[in-house]
Amino acid sequence: MTGEGIGFGKAIVFNEHFVVYGVPAIVSAIGKYTIAKVKTIDEPGWRLNDNRKATPNYKEEKIEQQKDSINRILKKMDIDLSKNGIEITLDGTLYCASGIGASAASCVAIARALSNHYNMDLSDEEINSIAYEGEKAYHGNPSGIDNTASTFGGLIWFEKSENNIMDRISLQNPVEIVMGNTGKVADTAAAVAGVRERRERNPEKYKEIFARAENIAYLAKDAFQNEDYQELGKLMNENHKLLQQIEVSSKELDFLVKLARDAGALGAKLTGGGLGGNIIALTPGKDLQERVANAIEKEGFQTLKTVIGATRGMR
Ligand code: PMV
């Protein structure tokens, strides 16, 4: 018998990093996903076939974190592999890179495949909290935004608190985006630790930046609800500036952001942990999406053309 499960990729549209401190953030599942399959094997323990396509070095650099993550998921689910073990196979359309939710998508997919394999019939809420446990191996103390988007899909307003607040933002029509990959694998835990250290050293400066980030989240929610993409683009540009101020951007990210804007994107910013990884550019309509993606590809970078705001992440 084989168990199967899916986890969506994601793009943080507003307030990565700020979200760790309880500032509201907006995230969307994207139209790419990871699939996990689980089957019983004769030997004890687990083994992994990771067939996902990835940025060079991504899988190698994350291998220890990945092992730790799978062990945490198994422990949280109380699965005993001392007699019959399992083989986990990862596949799907999500190309692994930093900033795109690859770790969260794999945690969610594996948790779902295990639930399916062992007939546990777990709810989405339960899957989400298991995946959160798996994410700790990659992030230390993650906000939970990635696994939430990866589990539930759609466009989500997220606030970290004792009981995380999660509200769906409904759009009439999903909107096109382009993601541009710097090709650099980034360490989210290190990026988060750097922000913490600088924030402690410069409390006044950071207080002001964080206050503006919070303000931007509310304005962005209104802009989404009014489908005012000009305004949304401006807010993304401003959000990128704040991310530069807390020093999580990089030369390559700034270069891709500028390329996207010059090619007509309504807004562009880094997405995810930063210091490498991906940018997100707002490009309503297929023509603009194509134009922005071409401009980035012409400079030798990989792109992903997808949408945000589909009711579920799409398959
Ligand atoms: O690097 P990613 O795509 O996994 O995103 C991390 C998002 C952060 O806000 C930087 C960290 C977190 O736990 O929310």
Side-chain angles (χ1 to χ4, degrees), residues 10 12 16-17 19-20 99-100 139 142-143 145-146 188 192 272-273:
K10 67 98 208 350
I12 299 179
E16 44 277 276
H17 286 286
V19 69
V20 171
I100 204 160
H139 285 195
S143 65
I145 190 169
D146 287 10
T188 300
V192 171

Side-chain angles (χ1 to χ4, degrees), residues 270-292:
L270 72 84
T271 185
L275 302 180
N278 272 270
I279 66 144
I280 173 175
L282 185 67
T283 56
K286 291 249 179 262
D287 290 348
L288 181 57
Q289 185 185 42
E290 199 62 38
R291 189 154 20 107
V292 170

Side-chain angles (χ1 to χ4, degrees), residues 80-97:
D80 176 10
L81 301 175
S82 58
K83 289 200 182 78
N84 286 316
I86 51 169
E87 180 181 83
I88 303 168
T89 302
L90 294 179
D91 231 312
T93 59
L94 184 67
Y95 182 96
C96 300

Side-chain angles (χ1 to χ4, degrees), residues 142-161:
S143 65
I145 190 169
D146 287 10
N147 46 281
T148 299
S150 186
T151 302
F152 294 99
L155 184 65
I156 295 171
W157 170 272
F158 181 87
E159 274 176 66
K160 182 185 168 187
S161 62

Side-chain angles (χ1 to χ4, degrees), residues 40-74:
T40 304
I41 53 174
D42 287 338
E43 59 199 74
W46 59 267
R47 62 176 189 233
L48 177 69
N49 296 324
D50 190 347
N51 299 331
R52 295 173 302 166
K53 294 204 169 50
T55 291
N57 297 327
Y58 178 90
K59 289 201 231 171
E60 293 77 359
E61 287 192 19
K62 307 267 177 195
I63 186 81
E64 288 309 319
Q65 296 178 339
Q66 187 180 39
K67 281 186 199 157
D68 182 22
S69 171
I70 293 173
N71 287 331
R72 282 168 183 268
I73 290 172
L74 290 165

